[in-house]
Amino acid sequence: MKQPIRIRDIEAESGTVARGFLTIGETPSGPLQIPLVIINGAADGPVLCLTAGVHATEYAPIDAVLRTVQTLDPATLRGAVLAVPVANMRMFESRHGFVSPLDGLNLNKVASGRPDGSISEILAQVLLDEVIGAAQYHIDLHAGDLGEMLLPFAGYANTGKPELDRVGEMLARLYAPELISIATGNGQVPPFPDGIVYAASRRGVVSLFAESGGNGTLEEADVRVHLDGIDNVMKQLGMLDGQPTAPGPRIAGTGRVIVRAKRAGLLRLKVAIGDRVSPGHEVAEICNVFGDVVERVTTPGTGVAGLVWAHKVVNTGDPIMRYWTTEPA
């Protein structure tokens, strides 16, 4: 951008990079901070915000943001990138999944947050008001959390504003390898109303929910999905030279169904993420401590395996896999 970009005391002049920490609050051991990188391109263009580490044991998205901020050149960038590589530093340092060890809250379930709330709610409010709200476009990068093996997808929550929603779906299509999830407000597919992406879209930011990776792993193929998605979005927005890679056939998620164990014991999985399933498809068998098979778990309908839990011992009612119902998109 031709003008400087400043968020609190972090300021990047045109054609430069600035980085530092935003202080959210205090803990007995010191301040709670989040890292912020501002890459201010030499030429004017859109402002794109990237956030990762909202769930900070989701490592592929964190690495994708770290690699993006290391490789973008402000001399050739049009517009600016605001990047928060790890939004939840206490989760990151403690390797704590799903919820903050400080207050037990899921940062992606407290929506726009509250300045007078607990520390996770304050963090959500700062992210939305001061960082995401300073951009026109936003991508919240995720993966499956600990114990979750996840099929990559990208999502957008419709707002009812035709132009905003047209761009949101277009960018989701460019990000996702195959599966897109366009939420229409019926609560069947993500992004859901309690999440950061949903809250950002209600403020007029074109905000994507992007998933690739999971189960505490850091695999190059999972990182590459995010890197390719970011690259496609930035090229489509005119921030980088070149054209986005033409996407192949898309499918849209219309719903999600969880398949659970009825019996308990050792779980032998027979399904992987991305597998197509149909009624009666065997996804696992469960055996008791004597080796007897006590249940053969099957799917009730047709879809695509989108989430497979990694646990190998189950109780009655434990989830085993969740499949998407889909349609061509």
Side-chain angles (χ1 to χ4, degrees), residues 30 229 262 266 278 307:
K262 294 183 174 66
L266 183 73
S278 56
L307 175 62

Short mmCIF file of all heavy atoms in Angstrom, two decimals, residues 30 229 262 266 278 307:
data_model
loop_
_atom_site.label_atom_id
_atom_site.label_comp_id
_atom_site.label_asym_id
_atom_site.label_seq_id
_atom_site.Cartn_x
_atom_site.Cartn_y
_atom_site.Cartn_z
N GLY A 30 3.24 -13.65 33.30
CA GLY A 30 3.61 -12.59 32.37
C GLY A 30 2.48 -12.27 31.41
O GLY A 30 1.38 -12.82 31.50
N GLY A 229 -3.69 -22.88 -1.65
CA GLY A 229 -4.92 -22.12 -1.48
C GLY A 229 -4.65 -20.63 -1.30
O GLY A 229 -5.32 -19.78 -1.91
N LYS A 262 -21.60 -48.73 19.08
CA LYS A 262 -22.64 -49.20 19.98
C LYS A 262 -22.07 -50.10 21.08
O LYS A 262 -22.65 -50.25 22.14
CB LYS A 262 -23.72 -49.95 19.21
CG LYS A 262 -24.52 -49.09 18.24
CD LYS A 262 -25.61 -49.91 17.58
CE LYS A 262 -26.51 -49.04 16.71
NZ LYS A 262 -25.78 -48.47 15.55
N LEU A 266 -11.52 -52.77 21.40
CA LEU A 266 -10.47 -52.36 20.48
C LEU A 266 -11.08 -52.09 19.11
O LEU A 266 -11.86 -52.89 18.60
CB LEU A 266 -9.42 -53.46 20.37
CG LEU A 266 -8.21 -53.15 19.49
CD1 LEU A 266 -7.29 -52.15 20.17
CD2 LEU A 266 -7.46 -54.43 19.14
N SER A 278 -21.22 -45.83 1.31
CA SER A 278 -22.62 -46.01 0.94
C SER A 278 -23.29 -46.80 2.05
O SER A 278 -22.63 -47.33 2.96
CB SER A 278 -22.72 -46.75 -0.40
OG SER A 278 -22.02 -47.97 -0.34
N LEU A 307 -13.98 -36.97 8.43
CA LEU A 307 -13.25 -36.96 9.70
C LEU A 307 -13.23 -38.37 10.25
O LEU A 307 -14.27 -39.01 10.37
CB LEU A 307 -13.94 -36.01 10.70
CG LEU A 307 -13.37 -35.97 12.12
CD1 LEU A 307 -11.94 -35.48 12.14
CD2 LEU A 307 -14.23 -35.08 13.02
#
